[in-house]
């Protein structure tokens, strides 16, 4: 999922938040009634509306009901330093710098790329982020991976 802003107690986003809850409930019910297993929920940026710590805390509380790994990414409405504390305990986000990560979930290597360009609607993959991607892929060049990013890479 992407662009699912959760805003702490704000009527402006109550409809969006309810939509997110209903969407996840319906997906869970559909998967629960089938032979499919849910192994991962990815919220790939646009997590909140204003990038405030209270919004991330509120989102984290909404996500607490899920008993599966959850990966997050940053989008144009997000703020790295406000987002980091909310999800740092999950063990995949770095303590400093860009919010790039490499994890293995359900046997799949997943690279999360931080494309956030603060104050702008579009994203960016600067030299430092491109170097991180190159080094991470070079560490295990024959292993397939899934790359996640909020913004298009061009």
């Amino acid at each position: 999922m992407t662009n699912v802003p959760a805003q702490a107690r704000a009527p402006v986003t109550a409809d969006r938040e309810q939509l997110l809850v209903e969407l996840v409930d319906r997906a869970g019910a559909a998967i629960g009634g089938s032979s499919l297993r849910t192994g991962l929920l990815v919220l790939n940026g646009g997590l909140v509306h204003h990038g405030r710590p209270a919004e991330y805390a509120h989102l984290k509380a909404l996500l607490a009901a899920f008993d599966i790994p959850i990966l997050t990414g940053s989008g144009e409405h997000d703020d790295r330093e406000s987002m980091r504390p909310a999800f740092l305990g999950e063990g995949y986000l770095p303590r400093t710098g860009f919010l790039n990560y490499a994890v293995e979930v359900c046997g799949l290597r997943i690279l999360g790329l931080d494309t956030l360009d603060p104050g702008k609607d579009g994203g960016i993959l600067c030299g430092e982020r491109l170097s991180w991607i190159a080094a991470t892929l070079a560490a295990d060049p024959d292993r397939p991976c899934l790359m996640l990013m909020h913004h298009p890479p061009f």
Side-chain angles (χ1 to χ4, degrees):
M1 292 183 192
T2 188
N3 289 328
V4 290
Q7 191 172 8
R9 297 180 188 85
V12 171
T13 59
D15 290 341
R16 282 186 175 174
E17 181 178 311
Q18 184 59 36
L19 181 62
L20 169 62
V21 170
E22 289 175 12
L23 178 64
V24 172
D25 283 347
R26 282 189 284 161
I31 292 171
S34 76
S35 61
L36 295 174
R37 291 185 326 131
T38 304
L40 175 66
L41 174 61
V42 176
L43 299 175
N44 200 29
L47 304 180
V48 299
H49 194 65
H50 297 290
R52 296 181 183 136
E55 292 176 303
Y56 292 106
H58 181 64
L59 176 62
K60 184 79 170 167
L62 289 173
L63 297 175
F66 296 97
D67 189 26
I68 57 173
I70 298 172
L71 298 176
T72 59
S74 57
E76 64 273 3
H77 295 285
D78 294 305
D79 178 83
R80 286 184 193 100
E81 299 317 312
S82 294
M83 180 180 162
R84 193 183 315 270
F87 297 99
L88 193 60
E90 305 303 315
Y92 63 92
L93 288 180
R95 294 191 175 279
T96 61
F98 296 116
L99 299 177
N100 296 329
Y101 59 85
V103 297
E104 184 169 321
V105 178
C106 302
L108 178 64
R109 181 171 65 155
I110 300 173
L111 304 184
L113 308 176
D114 180 348
T115 59
L116 179 63
D117 192 5
K120 298 183 181 167
D121 287 338
I124 189 170
L125 286 173
C126 65
E128 184 178 344
R129 287 178 262 200
L130 291 172
S131 293
W132 179 87
I133 295 167
T136 303
L137 292 174
D140 196 354
D142 296 324
R143 186 166 178 213
C145 73
L146 175 65
M147 297 176 78
L148 306 172
M149 64 186 86
H150 181 75
H151 302 94
F154 45 85

